[in-house]
Amino acid sequence: MLQRARVEAPDVRPGTHGGTAYEIAARCAAGEIDHATMRAELIGWEYDKPLPLSGYPDVDDVRPHAEGGFNQQVGRALTHGFLAGEDYDLILDALAD
């Protein structure tokens, strides 16, 4: 699973099992960590904030997303099959609180 994910992440953050949230989800999918640990680490992760809107819709449509943002990390893990929909929903609900 980790080879399929082509995980190229920074060094593992202290207290976690990955250098990115995507890597943590991939490690759980590979069976290296359990779901409870993965969910706890993704809920506690500090995601990059989205870039503020520029006021120019045509520019905002093509601007890159924050690489460390929730959608780029956890959303991509969901899309690539490393995260189940119920895990995604649980994490999203916890972060919304």
Side-chain angles (χ1 to χ4, degrees), residues 21-22 47 69-81 83 88:
Y22 181 82
Y47 298 96
F70 182 83
N71 289 336
Q72 283 295 99
Q73 295 292 317
V74 180
R76 188 167 50 110
L78 176 67
T79 301
H80 291 169
L83 191 65
Y88 179 87

Side-chain angles (χ1 to χ4, degrees), residues 7-85:
V7 173
E8 295 177 20
D11 291 336
V12 174
R13 284 189 185 181
T16 70
H17 289 89
T20 65
Y22 181 82
E23 181 183 1
I24 292 169
R27 288 186 184 282
C28 179
E32 290 187 11
I33 59 174
D34 60 53
H35 280 82
T37 301
M38 183 250 333
R39 285 190 296 266
E41 290 185 10
L42 294 182
I43 290 169
W45 196 266
E46 291 199 29
Y47 298 96
D48 292 348
K49 301 286 183 218
L51 298 172
L53 297 176
S54 69
Y56 299 96
D58 292 338
V59 171
D60 291 332
D61 286 344
V62 296
R63 288 174 53 175
H65 298 284
E67 186 64 32
F70 182 83
N71 289 336
Q72 283 295 99
Q73 295 292 317
V74 180
R76 188 167 50 110
L78 176 67
T79 301
H80 291 169
F82 299 128
L83 191 65

